[in-house]
Amino acid sequence: MEDEDAANLESFLQWATELGISDSNPSTTLSEEESRRSSCLGHSLVIAHFPDAGGRGLAAARDIRKGELILIVPKGVLMTSESFMMKDSKLSGSIKRHSTLSSTQILSVALLNEVNKGKSSWWYLYLKQLPRSYDILAGFNQFEIQALQMDDAIWVAERAAVKAKLEWEKATKLMVELNFKPALLTLPAWLWASATISTRTMHIPWDDAGCLCPVGDFFNYAAPGDESCDFKTLGNCPEQIELLDGRAERLVDAGYDGYRDAYCFYARRSYKEKEQVLLSYGMYTNLELLEHYGFLLNENPNDKAFIPLEGDMYSLCPWPQELLYINQHGKPSFALLSTLRLWATPPNRRRSVGHIAYSGEQVSAENEITVMAWIVKKCCDILENLNTTPQEDKLLLRTIDKIQHFLPVETEKLPPTCISELRTFSESNGVTDLENFPKICMSRKARKAIFRWRLAINWRYDYKRRLMNCISYCNQIIDDIRCEHGSTM
């Protein structure tokens, strides 16, 4: 199987080279030997495997400088709705009769249409490189969705699943017209196509659905640094909004270049030879990464935990609700603290101290203790109402690691909550005896189910850990204030 995969990859890279994909900067003078190479890679990038950082990806073939052009993919190779229809008049005519379909639905149908053609597809060698399955939330079953535990996360997952099913139902008539094979008319096939688009497309200015970019989609993800706006500064200097927009633009290290008529990729930082070269897709929380891309980051500078506020609190907040969060280290955001400081102020004094709260300053020592105590109680209430504790989630993660390595599971040493979740998962996969639990890993389908279950547990564990960090942070602030003010508090 590995030999076959290697042969397929080599054929694909030769195809890509013939179509003009290259990791050589056009301004760089190449030796005659380099110009004759059969692979589009090798000058700046090479394919490598990173087991703990995204699997297959691209490594630096040499030392690379920040900002250097490292890959060019001509427009003619990009897979877009437009390029699909240019090569298939039947597809083009059929799509015109289904004008209510979204651009993403059209691209999904077009992708499946190429799969339906098999070896006769112009993109056949590229299609063979695509993953056979994905782990985005739309593909989670009900057990895996419930394993997220948090209501907001469950709602996001259920919404994604319902949306995918509705889009499939609306596109089925078109796919029947195109004489798709029965297997490609199913919901699982649609989920595969829509997940391919969700996880692999890149922005283009002429189509909201984006494009599939051969070779360019080998890059793994790197989260942009924590460049969130300083709202204290922004409040005093509105013209800095333009700087914020410019900063957001600079987070993008790849894009379509109309002058070159190609998709161009630039090094987001300097890399040493053999180091993995990464691509930033933009700022995402871990839940967003799981929803759209099917993975999590262990250390995500853009991850956030949201806690529900009371109705009257939202009315005091001049910022969007997505700015009311707890950051990855457990510190409440500027907007959350400002809102709560004003809420903790008696209504008849809010007008006089509003400018203080919105500037990010403490209103008073007593007010700050009230705010911190409220956050602590809210975080504790959330944790107490969940089915498992962070410690139990950690035990479950260790247990799953054993299962994945075919090691025996000592269920008698696990707390009842863990055993209950193990039993529910095993029964949903046809195993009623927990002693035979590791046998679940024998089938590919079950291995994928275990992986998705682990993703759900990992997400909720990180969420709970953030709440615990927030509790420690707020309690420390309370202790520091009381220590500073002594017996007067």
Side-chain angles (χ1 to χ4, degrees), residues 99-113:
S99 58
T100 59
L101 295 180
S102 69
S103 57
T104 303
Q105 285 174 294
I106 291 171
L107 188 55
S108 297
V109 171
L111 176 61
L112 287 172
N113 186 54

Side-chain angles (χ1 to χ4, degrees), residues 180-390:
F180 279 16
K181 296 179 180 71
L184 297 178
L185 293 171
T186 62
L187 177 59
W190 180 264
L191 288 174
W192 173 85
S194 58
T196 297
I197 290 165
S198 177
T199 60
R200 306 181 82 81
T201 50
M202 298 180 182
H203 171 75
I204 50 177
W206 65 88
D207 192 334
D208 291 340
C211 69
L212 290 166
C213 183
V215 181
D217 57 9
F218 281 164
F219 286 102
N220 285 322
Y221 173 77
D226 186 7
E227 300 182 61
S228 55
C229 178
D230 182 344
F231 289 100
K232 178 178 177 180
T233 304
L234 187 61
N236 295 329
C237 188
E239 61 269 19
Q240 291 193 24
I241 293 175
E242 294 182 5
L243 296 179
L244 178 64
D245 290 340
R247 186 184 304 159
E249 287 291 322
R250 290 197 295 275
L251 294 175
V252 180
D253 38 23
Y256 181 75
D257 186 331
Y259 177 77
R260 298 182 188 274
D261 208 20
Y263 219 94
C264 297
F265 297 80
Y266 299 84
R268 67 192 306 270
R269 63 175 180 81
S270 296
Y271 293 94
K272 294 293 184 182
E273 184 179 354
K274 297 183 179 180
E275 191 177 0
Q276 181 171 198
V277 181
L278 299 166
L279 178 70
S280 169
Y281 313 153
M283 287 186 175
Y284 293 98
T285 66
N286 266 352
L287 184 60
E288 290 168 334
L289 287 175
L290 192 54
E291 178 185 5
H292 300 294
Y293 298 101
F295 67 86
L296 303 170
L297 292 179
N298 291 329
E299 295 296 331
N300 184 354
N302 304 304
D303 204 12
K304 302 174 177 68
F306 294 92
I307 57 175
L309 305 185
E310 297 165 18
D312 60 332
M313 293 178 176
Y314 290 112
S315 65
L316 299 173
C317 178
W319 300 286
Q321 291 187 18
E322 59 265 27
L323 299 179
L324 305 172
Y325 62 84
I326 296 165
N327 73 16
Q328 61 167 344
H329 302 299
K331 183 178 178 180
S333 69
F334 176 93
L336 178 58
L337 283 177
S338 296
T339 299
L340 292 177
R341 285 166 178 158
L342 194 59
W343 164 81
T345 301
N348 62 347
R349 295 191 60 241
R350 286 174 183 168
R351 182 183 295 273
S352 62
V353 302
H355 66 287
I356 299 176
Y358 290 145
S359 70
E361 302 296 330
Q362 291 185 17
V363 174
S364 69
E366 182 180 4
N367 177 281
E368 196 71 4
I369 288 177
T370 301
V371 167
M372 296 298 163
W374 185 91
I375 295 175
V376 167
K377 184 178 185 305
K378 180 62 68 172
C379 291
C380 288
D381 288 345
I382 293 172
L383 290 170
E384 289 173 5
N385 287 325
L386 297 176
N387 293 337
T388 55
T389 65

